[in-house]
Amino acid sequence: MRNTIVIALLLILGFSSCKDDRNSTAENKAKIFSEIYNQDNIESEYFNIDIKTDTTLVTKNGSIYRIYANTFEIETGDSINQIQIEIKEIFNPIDFVIGNLTTTSNNKLLSSGGMLYINASINDKITKLKSGKEIGIMIPTSELDDEMLIFEGVKDSLSINWTNQKSILNKELKELEQSYKTITYQFDNIADFESKELDKWFWSPERKIGDKTQFQKANIKIIDISRDTVKLKESQNGLFIPEVITKKGQNGFVEDFNTSYIFSVRKLGWSNIDKFFNDPKSEIVDLILKVKNEDFSYVFTSLLLPNKNMYIPGYERMDGSFGFTHNDAEDLILPIGDKAYIMATSYIDDLPYFDLIEFEISSKKVMTLELKQTTAIELKNKLAENIE
């Protein structure tokens, strides 16, 4: 009987100990993602607009958001005309880190061209887009990458997953413009008018009436440029695409489709301009992180490749070390020779602990971090000082 009581007591104590460990792990995670890494660290821009008027918003980064009249849901009988729009834009890799904005899509690595967040509220009450409505967006870029896609972000308190990818509109806009645009020209001699070189000149974004060129033996002059705007609008389910084409170069609309990522969203929240990671320098990499301290119930680890705009979450391996795939059997494929940073963060007694290391990616790398006590402010300052 006495032995039975002792065993029962040990089981109760063991269960209590496991429960305490689970609680401390949950609390540790909650503090890391509520006090250190979260979207509140990303600056927001706010705009108050008339919901019954077409509106163009321009952010500090020069991005253009086209919001059409009667786009948002309003409660029946509500006479409110003003709505507040919140926009966050993320282009700097350090903001990926402090915002906990990892770049993976269903466990596949992504390379980001920029992230954005749109929210809308009426009298501090969150609203959403009406079914079938859209917000048109033009994000400036120095070099357009046709492989980029637009992803929706599904976010919880610990991470974000980018899903439901669709193509940017740039290629479609170029094709539509030519389909509904007629260029009339005169010439004084025979030439190869099917030439790709001449075709490129005709459809150059800056082409205008009166422009002249000499091709082969012919002198060519543009005498008229017209668009069938009626057929264009009838062919599209939405206002944005026809407007981008018909108002090209006017009222804030881009003149050259190669200078901005152009797309639309039909729901609010997070969006990402991304492409699936594919680099010819990439190889299978054996990258292992060890954390010297052993008193942490949970350690958040992450890997940043700033030159590729990639931010990858880590996980604890079966042997207690840390990796940057999703399980011990999965291969990590990274660009050899690229600069990277690994970060590790944890909490003990309401105090954050942190360390990071910069390194060059090689085929095999084992690194050790020793987390040291800090503050949330000091941690963020250290990130800003070390990550270029």
Side-chain angles (χ1 to χ4, degrees), residues 24-34 157-158 297-298 347:
S24 62
T25 297
E27 291 169 1
N28 200 337
K29 286 184 179 180
K31 286 184 177 296
I32 288 172
F33 297 114
S34 64
S157 60
L158 301 182
S297 61
Y298 170 76
Y347 263 81

Side-chain angles (χ1 to χ4, degrees), residues 128-366:
K128 60 182 180 179
L129 301 183
K130 290 180 180 178
S131 177
K133 297 294 185 178
E134 64 182 342
I135 295 177
I137 302 169
M138 292 172 276
I139 305 292
T141 180
S142 58
E143 185 175 354
L144 185 75
D145 187 339
D146 289 328
E147 294 182 12
M148 287 294 184
L149 303 167
I150 304 301
F151 291 76
E152 294 178 7
V154 180
K155 200 172 191 326
D156 58 29
S157 60
L158 301 182
S159 63
I160 191 165
N161 184 35
W162 301 102
T163 63
N164 300 329
Q165 69 264 26
K166 63 179 184 179
S167 299
I168 56 176
L169 294 175
N170 298 64
K171 183 178 179 180
E172 180 182 353
L173 287 166
K174 295 172 189 176
E175 292 174 350
L176 280 170
E177 183 183 33
Q178 293 190 22
S179 298
Y180 295 94
K181 182 177 177 181
T182 301
I183 297 177
T184 305
Y185 58 92
Q186 64 184 27
F187 57 95
D188 62 2
N189 210 330
I190 299 299
D192 179 10
F193 292 104
E194 301 298 323
S195 164
K196 290 184 179 180
E197 180 184 349
L198 186 57
D199 190 66
K200 184 178 180 181
W201 181 83
F202 278 131
W203 296 106
S204 176
E206 66 271 12
R207 193 59 55 232
K208 60 185 183 297
I209 295 173
D211 284 356
K212 300 176 182 179
T213 189
Q214 186 174 33
F215 181 72
Q216 295 174 353
K217 296 182 179 181
N219 294 300
I220 301 169
K221 179 181 179 181
I222 304 294
I223 59 175
D224 188 49
I225 299 176
S226 61
R227 294 182 178 91
D228 192 336
T229 57
V230 175
K231 285 187 177 180
L232 174 60
K233 291 176 181 178
E234 289 175 348
S235 72
Q236 298 301 309
N237 180 25
L239 300 173
F240 183 58
I241 288 179
E243 195 173 44
V244 172
I245 294 173
T246 58
K247 294 185 177 180
K248 187 176 181 181
Q250 308 171 36
N251 302 323
F253 286 90
V254 294
E255 184 173 357
D256 186 345
F257 295 149
N258 293 314
T259 60
S260 295
Y261 288 109
I262 306 173
F263 58 99
S264 65
V265 296
R266 294 183 180 268
K267 64 185 294 186
L268 302 179
W270 285 98
S271 298
N272 197 353
I273 307 166
D274 268 307
K275 65 179 178 181
F276 289 102
F277 175 67
N278 182 20
D279 189 297
K281 297 188 304 179
S282 294
E283 298 178 7
I284 294 176
V285 171
D286 185 10
L287 178 60
I288 297 173
L289 172 67
K290 297 180 180 181
V291 174
K292 190 172 183 179
N293 320 58
E294 298 180 354
D295 298 330
F296 303 112
S297 61
Y298 170 76
V299 179
F300 172 60
T301 57
S302 56
L303 169 66
L304 176 69
L305 282 69
N307 295 332
K308 295 292 187 293
N309 281 351
M310 297 170 61
Y311 185 49
I312 306 166
Y315 79 102
E316 187 170 359
R317 297 158 57 102
M318 295 293 291
D319 62 4
S321 64
F322 295 86
F324 298 92
T325 56
H326 302 91
N327 56 66
D328 289 7
E330 184 179 347
D331 290 328
L332 178 63
I333 300 176
L334 295 175
I336 300 297
D338 263 38
K339 179 174 67 175
Y341 299 87
I342 283 181
M343 291 145 281
T345 311
S346 191
Y347 263 81
I348 296 180
D349 298 330
D350 293 331
L351 294 173
Y353 286 70
F354 176 77
D355 197 9
L356 88 165
I357 186 170
E358 177 185 339
F359 67 102
E360 185 177 289
I361 296 172
S362 58
S363 58
K364 184 174 180 61
K365 183 83 73 172
V366 179

Side-chain angles (χ1 to χ4, degrees), residues 20-76:
D20 287 344
D21 286 344
R22 287 198 299 269
N23 287 343
S24 62
T25 297
E27 291 169 1
N28 200 337
K29 286 184 179 180
K31 286 184 177 296
I32 288 172
F33 297 114
S34 64
E35 299 184 14
I36 304 293
Y37 306 114
N38 59 74
Q39 68 183 54
D40 292 338
N41 290 319
I42 309 300
E43 180 185 4
S44 293
E45 294 182 62
Y46 293 94
F47 305 85
N48 292 311
I49 68 170
D50 187 333
I51 58 177
K52 296 181 180 180
T53 304
D54 292 350
T55 303
T56 300
L57 303 179
V58 183
T59 66
K60 293 177 181 178
N61 292 309
S63 304
I64 296 170
Y65 293 75
R66 185 63 170 156
I67 302 176
Y68 299 96
N70 303 312
T71 290
F72 297 95
E73 289 192 353
I74 301 173
E75 292 183 5
T76 303

